[in-house]
Each structure stands twice: as C-alpha cells, then as structure tokens.
Amino acid sequence: MAGKKGNVSNDMFLKSMQANTQKASREVSETLKNVSVRSAVGKGRKMLEYRDIDEMKPAPVDWNRYPLLKDDQPERYLEMKMSIYERGIENPLVLWERSGECMILAGHNRRDICREIIEECREESGFDEQKFRFLPCIVYEDDEITEEQAREIINDTNLYRDFSKLPNKIKIQITMERMEVYKRRRYAKGERIDQLAKDLGLEKTAVYENLSIYEKVIPSLQEMYYNELLTRKAVLKFVFFDRDTQQWIFDTYGDRINDTRAKALKKNMGRTDIAHIFEREGKGVKKVTVDVPEGRVEEFRKVFAKWLKGELQVADLSDEEIKKD
C-alpha cells in the first residue's frame, strides 16, 4: 500500500502496525525495567506513537558511544535490513522530544535502514513507503526524563550489541559508565561487577581489568592501548606502578615503549631495573647480579641509571671511587 509522504491517516495501516508491535512493546518495557525513568512514566501508560523518520535526530556522539552497525558489523546490519524489509519494525524506537526535536535514544540503526529501504525501493510497484517512513516509537516529553536518564536509556538499550566487537576505548568507557549507573541504582560493589559481567557477556576478571586500566593507568599509556600500540596484557603491567613512575616511564622512554618491554615489567621494580628494560636493545645483553653494600643501594641505582643513559663514563669516576668498597 503505497502512500503519499506525510500521510498517516489510513486506519488500516495504523491498526496493522500496532498489531505487529504489541509484542515488541513488551520487549522494550522489559529492556527498560531497570531504568529509573520507568517509574516516572508509569507502567502500562506509555502508548506507541508513529513518527516520521525525517523528524528524528541522532543522539549526541558523546552520549552514544556505540558505533553504527553499518560501520562496525556490516553482516549484522544486512541481516537486520533484510528482517525489517520482510517484517517491518517489530521493536519500537525510543525518542526524547525536546526543544522542538525528537532525539533518538534507541533505534539509530533501524531509522537508517528504513531510510535506505525507502531510497532503494520507492520506485518498485506496490512498495509501501509508509511502512518504513512512519515508525512505532515510545516518545518521552522534555520534562519526563533528565539528560542522565536519557543516557541510561541509550546504554541500556545497546547492551545487546556484541561487546567484543567494540574498540578498546569504547569498551573501557562503557564499563565505567555502567558502573556509575549501577552505583546510582544502589547495587553493592560485588553486585555491580556481577551485573556488568552478565550484561556485557564478560568474565568478571575482564571487568576488573577494564576498571584497572581506567583507574590506575595514566591517560598517555591508555591511549597506546586504545590505538593498539600495546596489547591488553602489556598495558596491565603498568598497574604495578604509581602514576608518577608511569609518567616517568612515558616521558623518558615513550618511543621505546612496546609490548615486549612492557611485558618484561615486574611488580616492585625500581627505576633502575625499569631503565634497564627500556634501554637494552635485546641482543648482546647479559643479566648481571651485583652485591651492593647496605645503605648504598639507592646510590648505586642512580649511578647505574646515569651510566645506562650514557650520562656517566667510568673515566668520570676517580680511582678512589672505583676502588671504594
């Protein structure tokens, strides 16, 4: 049933769409059961509305950290496109109407797919454009929810996404954001970890690692991990050291930091031992054990560190200093 753009008065069309989305509405309600906005709206009182896709605007990029399926998981995008083409929209979009615009909180991919289908199929005989232009939506008014609650909806309704496919930086950000959500929902700390592992399909150890990278690794080293210059195992080695030591490593050896050297770091290493790891070239290197008199360990480390950097030559020391002890 082809219809003119903007015409939604056909009762048969609306009844058909509402029948197809009754089950989906219950699914959205289940997805949002933990979101604080539900109590504000009231169970069972939020009705479906049908909105033109041209009225919908995407959420701000810094609110929606999930890449679009078309860019991130093209095979899944095509599967969704075929499903929507055959059956229409079965899962209502979630919109927030504010300042005269309808912001998409859930449904960016579905909106884009419907737009594509209209562009590709509008010339086909019998093509029902209204089916893909006017979509079933749950719409929140400006004063029904806050920005914080809107962000929660975006996060909650994206949990179905394959977390393993997301970029490392997004994984860490989502982990931290979800932890804050669970904190606001008054989950105990252990419950937060359990719930997050369940929601994201992770082992609890992976959740703890994400938290450690965000909380204990300096931003410069985090960026190396996000840009795939360091593996997860390598960046976690820096958790052994305080932030000052990490910053010293980055400032001193930034161009020498790589997976091999990072993985060689050990807990409780002093700066002399760390310097040895980052300054050796790998070949022609031999480990030497030195007995140092008590009380002169730190002095030895400083002298040795200068020697490794080429700042000190044996000739710079007096015979008395060389023979000392």
Side-chain angles (χ1 to χ4, degrees):
M1 181 188 74
K4 293 182 180 180
K5 181 177 179 180
N7 179 13
V8 289
S9 61
N10 189 297
D11 291 339
M12 291 293 290
F13 167 69
L14 293 177
K15 288 178 181 178
S16 175
M17 287 293 289
Q18 190 160 9
N20 287 337
T21 55
Q22 284 178 346
K23 176 175 179 292
S25 181
R26 290 194 297 272
E27 291 175 353
V28 169
S29 179
E30 180 66 21
T31 301
L32 300 177
K33 67 180 180 180
N34 288 322
V35 184
S36 55
V37 298
R38 191 160 180 238
S39 60
V41 174
K43 183 177 180 180
R45 295 203 299 270
K46 203 69 180 167
M47 302 297 293
L48 288 180
E49 300 181 29
Y50 293 85
R51 295 297 184 97
D52 190 324
I53 57 174
D54 287 342
E55 296 177 7
M56 304 174 190
K57 307 296 181 184
V61 175
D62 60 332
W63 289 24
N64 183 15
R65 303 185 186 280
Y66 293 83
L68 292 171
L69 284 179
K70 186 174 185 179
D71 302 325
D72 187 54
Q73 300 176 53
E75 291 182 1
R76 187 167 179 178
Y77 180 83
L78 289 174
E79 289 176 5
M80 181 183 286
K81 187 172 181 178
M82 285 300 298
S83 175
I84 289 174
Y85 180 77
E86 293 172 358
R87 298 191 290 271
I89 294 292
E90 297 182 315
N91 220 8
L93 286 70
V94 181
L95 308 177
W96 186 20
E97 193 164 29
R98 62 188 308 226
S99 303
E101 293 185 343
C102 281
M103 180 192 298
I104 303 172
L105 302 182
H108 291 81
N109 291 294
R110 283 165 279 167
R111 189 279 306 265
D112 290 350
I113 285 173
C114 286
R115 181 174 285 169
E116 279 189 11
I117 289 174
I118 290 173
E119 290 299 319
E120 295 169 3
C121 304
R122 69 188 343 153
E123 301 302 325
E124 292 182 3
S125 175
F127 175 67
D128 184 358
E129 181 174 324
Q130 288 186 341
K131 179 180 177 181
F132 303 101
R133 175 169 294 284
F134 299 97
L135 308 184
C137 304
I138 294 174
V139 183
Y140 293 107
E141 301 300 324
D142 192 357
D143 59 353
E144 283 188 286
I145 59 175
T146 64
E147 286 192 7
E148 182 179 87
Q149 291 168 329
R151 288 173 184 253
E152 285 189 26
I153 291 174
I154 291 172
N155 283 327
D156 280 340
T157 53
N158 271 296
L159 289 179
Y160 73 91
R161 298 283 295 277
D162 188 345
F163 193 72
S164 66
K165 301 286 187 182
L166 299 176
N168 289 329
K169 188 170 187 175
I170 303 300
K171 291 179 186 177
I172 301 294
Q173 291 172 337
I174 289 172
T175 298
M176 298 309 301
E177 287 174 358
R178 296 303 301 174
M179 286 295 287
E180 289 302 313
V181 168
Y182 298 145
K183 187 184 295 185
R184 290 195 295 271
R185 294 175 187 170
R186 301 189 182 281
Y187 286 22
K189 186 173 182 179
E191 290 177 323
R192 293 175 216 160
I193 300 296
D194 291 341
Q195 188 64 44
L196 192 53
K198 178 181 177 182
D199 285 346
L200 301 181
L202 300 174
E203 296 292 333
K204 286 198 286 187
T205 52
V207 175
Y208 281 114
E209 287 175 356
N210 284 350
L211 295 174
S212 293
I213 292 170
Y214 183 84
E215 294 174 345
K216 299 179 181 180
V217 177
I218 63 172
S220 302
L221 294 171
Q222 286 182 27
E223 287 298 324
M224 293 189 71
Y225 170 59
Y226 299 151
N227 294 326
E228 300 184 352
L229 299 176
L230 290 175
T231 62
R232 188 179 187 82
K233 185 175 181 180
V235 76
L236 283 166
K237 290 287 188 173
F238 291 98
V239 173
F240 294 148
F241 310 104
D242 59 51
R243 288 179 171 270
D244 286 343
T245 301
Q246 291 181 41
Q247 194 63 55
W248 170 75
I249 293 172
F250 184 80
D251 291 342
T252 309
Y253 305 110
D255 59 340
R256 290 182 170 229
I257 298 173
N258 58 30
D259 247 40
T260 301
R261 292 188 174 103
K263 288 178 180 177
L265 295 170
K266 306 292 183 184
K267 192 173 183 178
N268 298 323
M269 269 187 169
R271 293 195 177 188
T272 299
D273 295 324
I274 295 172
H276 181 61
I277 286 173
F278 286 101
E279 292 177 9
R280 67 187 180 188
E281 296 301 328
K283 294 182 179 180
V285 174
K286 185 175 181 179
K287 185 175 182 178
V288 177
T289 301
V290 179
D291 292 327
V292 180
E294 285 187 32
R296 303 197 63 187
V297 174
E298 191 59 34
E299 178 188 352
F300 173 80
R301 285 177 175 166
K302 290 179 180 178
V303 172
F304 184 61
K306 286 184 178 181
W307 180 77
L308 282 175
K309 294 178 184 178
E311 297 174 359
L312 180 69
Q313 302 296 324
V314 174
D316 296 332
L317 300 174
S318 66
D319 290 340
E320 183 179 346
E321 288 176 313
I322 295 173
K323 293 176 182 178
K324 205 171 187 179
D325 295 318

